[in-house]
């Protein structure tokens, strides 16, 4: 809760917000690397959305700090769309 980006933003701590958001994106990037052997298309979609150009899917990519600082995150809808069942 101390690192909540919305709270830091309200307090005017832009640098800290940037650090928190970078750490979130970097954690997501590492999750995508681990997901790649099982769901390569999904991992590639994640990489694209977090601004990771030219991803490398090797174990060496699991080191921290591979995502470039200032990478642009895109909001292009859910990766797994909600399944809505129609009731009769």
């Amino acid at each position: 809760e101390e690192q909540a980006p919305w709270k830091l933003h309200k307090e005017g701590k832009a640098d800290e917000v940037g650090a928190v958001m970078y750490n979130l994106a970097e954690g997501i990037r590492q999750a995508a690397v681990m997901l790649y052997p099982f769901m390569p298309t999904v991992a590639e979609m994640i990489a694209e959305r977090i601004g990771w150009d030219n991803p490398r899917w090797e174990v060496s990519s699991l080191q921290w700090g591979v995502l470039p600082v200032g990478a642009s995150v895109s909001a292009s809808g859910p990766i797994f769309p909600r399944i809505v069942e129609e009731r009769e």
Side-chain angles (χ1 to χ4, degrees):
E1 188 161 317
E2 294 172 14
Q3 298 292 318
W6 54 89
K7 185 177 179 183
L8 295 171
H9 178 73
K10 285 181 182 178
E11 295 171 359
K13 299 178 179 178
D15 289 341
E16 290 182 40
V17 171
V20 169
M21 298 307 287
Y22 177 82
N23 288 333
L24 289 170
E26 184 64 10
I28 291 168
R29 185 196 63 78
Q30 288 190 347
V33 171
M34 291 183 275
L35 183 64
Y36 185 79
F38 307 100
M39 301 177 83
T41 303
V42 171
E44 289 168 354
M45 290 171 68
I46 293 169
E48 181 181 325
R49 290 177 186 200
I50 62 170
W52 187 24
D53 298 327
N54 305 314
R56 296 183 59 204
W57 303 110
E58 296 95 22
V59 173
S60 62
S61 290
L62 289 174
Q63 66 184 8
W64 193 260
V66 172
L67 187 66
V69 173
S72 180
V73 176
S74 67
S76 53
I79 292 175
F80 300 107
R82 183 181 302 241
I83 298 172
V84 179
E85 295 181 19
E86 293 185 30
R87 294 185 179 188
E88 296 179 21

